Amino acid sequence: MIEIKTDLSVDAMRAAGRVVAQALAAVRSAARVGVTLRTLDATAHAVLREAGAGSPFLGYHPEFAPGPFPAVLCVSVNDAIVHGVPDDYRLRDGDLVSADFGAILNGWAGDSAISFTVGRPRPEDLHLIDTAERALAAGIAAAVVGNRISDIAHAVGRVCRREGYGIPDGFGGHGIGRAMHEDPGVPNEGRPGRGVPLRHGMALAIEPMVIAGGGDGYYAAPDGWTLRTLDGSRAAHAEHTIAITHAGPRILTAL
Ligand code: MG
Ligand code: MG
């Protein structure tokens, strides 16, 4: 069932989304060569505490996972696509980092992800990240009253495929509200004009993931969480929580 939010609820989600944006900005500035992924998680956690917000990631235990997620931040480096667990890995020069973060504030959730490089960037990584961001922008632009869910998917997928990048099969965005994951699913690829019509008050997380090598395959690392590219190439991820309004898409997880 798709829950339609009131304008007041969307305002409340915007407050949660701002906390997410602040945490990701803090993670980005803390991410330097030699810093551990655990430190990035602690950085994000401090922002949550400061805001009096909770984490929808910490303790999250979906069916596919071996146990509850042990952190507030997913951090996926290089060939890791999503769901990376913060550990003692120290960031190296030229790493490509994807950071995915959620917050719950006053009962409402926000969910967003950014990708960035550490130290001296490889030009191909910058292009990969730029493509994920452009795919996200295209998906958001398609999130308008009168369109359908698959118009978002189509817009996202087109930008990624045009560059020859892979799109991990079966992963995508989702409805969001009091829970981090709600109906409907928002695929990252598909034919336009299908699925539920978009309505004022729908809140969605749109989240393109791109694989540099062009394959769509992935596998779960031994930790049971981290998804890595099958071809070993690098991946990037970008995500915003948005609300569909009569005035156009409203980004809830911007600063
Ligand atoms: Mg996310
Ligand atoms: Mg999400």
Side-chain angles (χ1 to χ4, degrees):
M1 198 195 75
I2 297 170
E3 195 205 345
I4 300 298
K5 279 80 182 176
T6 65
D7 292 351
L8 273 177
S9 298
V10 170
D11 287 343
M13 289 184 70
R14 171 67 181 123
R18 194 172 276 119
V19 175
V20 175
Q22 287 164 347
L24 285 174
V27 165
R28 182 178 207 142
S29 60
R32 292 163 194 245
V33 173
V35 169
T36 69
L37 304 186
R38 239 184 257 284
T39 299
L40 300 184
D41 181 62
T43 300
H45 213 150
V47 174
L48 271 188
R49 278 196 213 96
E50 179 78 16
S55 171
F57 287 22
L58 185 66
Y60 182 59
H61 193 176
E63 264 173 41
F64 65 80
F69 194 75
V72 299
L73 180 76
C74 289
V75 56
S76 308
V77 180
N78 297 338
D79 66 318
I81 309 167
V82 285
H83 302 166
V85 181
D87 60 12
D88 292 321
Y89 175 84
R90 286 185 188 278
L91 290 171
R92 294 176 193 163
D93 190 40
D95 276 349
L96 193 174
V97 178
S98 299
D100 190 350
F101 185 75
I104 304 258
L105 184 69
N106 297 318
W108 293 98
D111 184 12
S112 177
I114 57 172
S115 294
F116 54 86
T117 54
V118 173
R120 281 163 302 182
R122 309 194 318 186
E124 60 267 39
D125 288 345
L126 296 179
H127 188 67
L128 189 69
I129 294 167
D130 178 67
T131 302
E133 290 172 352
R134 281 187 296 111
L136 174 58
I140 293 171
V144 295
V145 175
N147 269 357
R148 290 173 181 266
I149 280 290
S150 82
D151 291 313
I152 299 173
H154 180 71
V156 166
R158 224 169 58 135
V159 172
C160 305
R161 291 296 186 198
R162 205 161 47 203
E163 303 296 335
Y165 294 144
I167 299 173
D169 199 22
F171 279 88
H174 46 90
I176 179 168
R178 290 197 172 273
M180 179 171 60
H181 292 127
E182 296 185 352
D183 288 337
V186 186
N188 280 334
E189 184 166 41
R191 289 166 62 185
R194 295 162 175 233
V196 288
L198 303 180
R199 287 174 55 192
H200 179 90
M202 282 174 64
L204 304 173
I206 302 173
E207 49 181 313
M209 301 154 205
V210 284
I211 298 174
D216 297 349
Y218 55 85
Y219 67 96
D223 64 21
W225 279 102
T226 312
L227 295 182
R228 295 188 181 277
T229 61
L230 206 52
D231 60 15
S233 68
R234 293 186 169 191
H237 181 204
E239 177 179 26
H240 269 309
T241 296
I242 62 123
I244 291 160
T245 81
H246 292 306
R250 181 180 176 196
I251 299 176
L252 304 179
T253 42
L255 270 178

